């Protein structure tokens, strides 16, 4: 099996390549995902899901949902790999071994191992954070960048506070079997509308549930070390102004692709990143959930192929972007307009207070979930005291 050993730390990364051609594409998957999660994009870009090493992958999640693009690759070689802490790659036991910068170095090691001097780099969720770090670290090796369902890390990783996300959080923490994990993953990855659609006589939820159970059973549940480490990487992730400027100054084109019904990564933060990368970024807003790459496969694959083509044709950033102006986001823009018309100081103070309140609520919610989980484990660990029968 193909492994890449990262120098000096003994980490082995499992990877696979698909297709052949002069165009190279590196796919970086997100938290708790394996290289197989890129199945629809591997087929759409490389024109095949048969790995070049001749080995067979277990059934990819979502592969039978009836939503594949089926396009040909047109001379594209694709590489997808398991991040450290997941799949067949090494699982370090220390949280400090997991940061987006360290994992970006893993991706660079993969490129070096393959002999790729340059590549188009596409990342999803945590993988998009890693891809951003990678682009800032070695911008001269990036031909284009696509980030799917991305946030800026830290508190931006927290979902919206509503009944659905609270329910998902508790179910996720309590999931101990492939069946339980598959059920909660469906609600995390897809929009409700998509899951309730019928494909023949069954709902898409029923079809995907069987595929998820099979895939999770084949790869195994993620180890606690890997999960906690990858969560740590997301929490500690941040793109500094200098790193953003490093990406912008190199001049490669960027696509920010997001599902508007994503319950994990909020659309606002993806749009804010796109604005920071203006005029090199294009915002692609699709009707889908967190795993929009599966839910809207044809549209996502088309967006990725358009990015590759535009990069190869040297399309100018002004012709590429669909963002009107470089601004810090639509909310701040509205407040700036109010400020220009007078009375803006009170509005800016109110906005600052609301933003701080939002951060506090997110922190309180996460703390509550953690306390609940540890309390539940503590109660389970208590052994009942045996009391002898009464003599009276």
């Amino acid at each position: 099996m193909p492994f890449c050993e990262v120098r000096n730390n003994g980490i082995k990364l499992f990877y696979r390549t698909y297709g052949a051609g002069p165009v190279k594409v590196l796919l970086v998957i997100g938290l708790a995902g394996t290289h197989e999660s890129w199945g629809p994009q591997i087929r759409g870009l490389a024109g095949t899901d048969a790995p070049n090493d001749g080995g067979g992958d277990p059934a990819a999640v979502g592969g039978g949902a009836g939503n594949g693009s089926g396009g040909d690759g047109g001379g594209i070689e694709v590489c997808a790999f398991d991040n450290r802490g997941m799949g067949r790659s090494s699982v370090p036991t220390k949280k400090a071994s997991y940061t987006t910068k360290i994992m970006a170095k893993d991706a660079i090691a993969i490129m070096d191992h393959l002999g790729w001097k340059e590549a188009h780099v596409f990342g999803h969720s945590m993988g998009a954070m890693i891809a951003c770090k990678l682009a800032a670290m070695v911008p001269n090796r990036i031909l284009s960048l696509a980030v799917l369902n991305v946030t800026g890390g830290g508190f931006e990783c927290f979902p919206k506070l509503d009944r659905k996300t609270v329910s998902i959080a508790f179910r996720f923490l309590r999931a101990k079997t492939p069946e339980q994990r598959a059920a909660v993953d469906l609600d995390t990855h897809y929009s409700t509308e998509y899951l309730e659609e019928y494909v023949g006589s069954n709902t898409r939820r029923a079809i995907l549930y069987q595929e998820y159970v099979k895939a999770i059973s084949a790869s195994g549940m993620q180890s606690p070390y890997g999960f906690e480490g990858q969560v740590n990487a997301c929490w500690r992730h941040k793109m500094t102004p200098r790193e953003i400027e490093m990406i912008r100054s190199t001049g490669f084109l960027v696509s920010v692709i997001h599902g508007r019904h994503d319950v994990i990564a909020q659309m606002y933060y993806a749009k804010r990143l796109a604005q920071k990368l203006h005029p090199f970024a294009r915002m692609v807003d699709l009707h889908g959930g967190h795993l929009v790459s599966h839910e809207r496969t044809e549209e996502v694959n088309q967006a990725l192929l358009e990015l590759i083509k535009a990069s190869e044709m040297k399309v100018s950033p002004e012709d590429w972007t669909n963002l009107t102006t470089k601004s810090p986001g639509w909310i701040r823009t509205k407040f700036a307009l109010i400020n220009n018309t007078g009375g803006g100081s009170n509005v800016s103070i109110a906005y600052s207070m609301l933003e701080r309140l939002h951060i506090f609520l997110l922190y309180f919610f996460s703390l509550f979930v953690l306390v609940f989980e540890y309390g539940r484990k503590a109660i389970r660990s208590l052994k009942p005291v045996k009391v002898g029968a009464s003599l009276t």
Side-chain angles (χ1 to χ4, degrees):
M1 288 188 178
F3 284 92
C4 166
E5 186 166 353
V6 183
R7 294 182 199 173
N8 304 325
N9 59 22
I11 298 295
K12 290 186 177 181
L13 303 171
F14 180 83
Y15 72 92
R16 280 207 154 124
T17 60
Y18 307 82
V23 179
K24 311 299 183 183
V25 175
L26 182 67
L27 302 177
V28 190
I29 197 56
L31 190 149
T34 68
H35 69 284
E36 296 155 11
S37 302
W38 283 112
Q41 282 61 58
I42 291 170
R43 290 189 291 273
L45 296 173
T48 179
D49 57 5
N52 291 335
D53 62 275
D57 279 332
V61 172
N67 202 23
S69 66
D72 62 30
I76 299 176
E77 182 179 8
V78 175
C79 176
F81 64 98
D82 295 345
N83 285 311
R84 60 173 62 201
M86 188 59 193
R88 281 170 267 190
S89 291
S90 299
V91 183
T93 57
K94 295 181 179 179
K95 281 187 181 181
S97 298
Y98 299 84
T99 68
T100 52
K101 185 174 182 179
I102 290 174
M103 296 166 89
K105 291 180 179 179
D106 289 346
I108 294 172
I110 291 279
M111 291 178 65
D112 291 342
H113 179 78
L114 294 172
W116 291 5
K117 294 182 179 180
E118 298 176 312
H120 301 272
V121 178
F122 305 156
H124 177 266
S125 193
M126 180 190 73
M129 301 180 199
I130 297 169
C132 286
K133 282 290 182 184
L134 173 62
M137 291 167 65
V138 288
N140 58 313
R141 300 184 66 175
I142 309 301
L143 295 173
S144 72
L145 176 67
V147 289
L148 287 71
N149 299 82
V150 69
T151 72
F155 74 87
E156 292 185 15
C157 295
F158 287 114
K160 293 179 180 179
L161 287 175
D162 57 27
R163 183 180 300 177
K164 181 177 182 180
T165 55
V166 171
S167 172
I168 288 173
F170 279 112
R171 289 165 57 207
F172 182 86
L173 288 171
R174 299 178 67 179
K176 305 300 180 186
T177 66
E179 290 77 14
Q180 292 172 333
R181 180 62 184 271
V184 69
D185 277 358
L186 291 181
D187 289 327
T188 305
H189 292 165
Y190 304 99
S191 65
T192 302
E193 177 184 346
Y194 179 77
L195 290 173
E196 299 311 318
E197 288 178 358
Y198 272 85
V199 181
S201 59
N202 294 314
T203 63
R204 206 178 292 274
R205 181 188 294 274
I207 297 171
L208 287 172
Y209 175 76
Q210 296 300 326
E211 293 181 5
Y212 267 60
V213 171
K214 184 178 180 180
I216 295 171
S217 298
S219 61
M221 297 283 283
Q222 187 178 22
S223 75
Y225 293 122
F227 175 72
E228 292 175 8
Q230 291 189 353
V231 168
N232 180 65
C234 293
W235 178 249
R236 294 178 60 187
H237 173 76
K238 181 180 180 180
M239 293 296 293
T240 66
R242 184 177 181 277
E243 289 173 322
I244 292 292
E245 187 55 36
M246 185 66 72
I247 293 174
R248 293 183 71 255
S249 64
T250 309
F252 52 78
L253 302 181
V254 181
S255 280
V256 180
I257 304 171
H258 212 90
R260 66 180 67 106
H261 300 295
D262 191 336
V263 299
I264 297 178
Q266 297 188 52
M267 173 76 76
Y268 166 71
Y269 297 118
K271 288 185 175 180
R272 187 163 71 173
L273 176 62
Q275 290 286 2
K276 288 179 179 179
L277 295 173
H278 181 274
F280 303 96
R282 171 182 288 187
M283 187 71 210
V284 182
D285 176 355
L286 298 175
H287 184 84
H290 188 63
L291 206 57
V292 71
S293 54
H294 285 229
E295 187 167 342
R296 291 290 177 259
T297 296
E298 190 171 341
E299 293 96 321
V300 169
N301 288 355
Q302 183 62 36
L304 297 177
L305 289 169
E306 286 177 0
L307 176 61
I308 294 173
K309 183 177 180 180
S311 300
E312 298 292 316
M313 295 179 64
K314 308 296 182 184
V315 172
S316 70
E318 291 73 19
D319 291 332
W320 172 252
T321 188
N322 58 358
L323 304 172
T324 54
T325 58
K326 182 183 177 183
S327 68
W330 65 270
I331 292 179
R332 286 183 173 86
T333 301
K334 287 186 176 182
F335 284 126
L337 291 173
I338 294 173
N339 190 44
N340 289 336
T341 59
S345 59
N346 291 334
V347 173
S348 61
I349 292 172
Y351 173 76
S352 178
M353 291 177 63
L354 285 172
E355 191 172 52
R356 290 182 182 182
L357 177 62
H358 182 222
I359 295 172
F360 169 76
L361 289 174
L362 290 172
Y363 173 77
F364 178 79
F365 169 69
S366 64
L367 186 64
F368 174 75
V369 171
L370 287 173
V371 170
F372 173 83
E373 179 63 11
Y374 281 115
R376 186 170 62 87
K377 289 181 178 178
I379 291 173
R380 283 184 174 180
S381 67
L382 295 176
K383 294 182 180 180
V385 178
K386 294 182 179 182
V387 180
S390 173
L391 298 177
T392 59

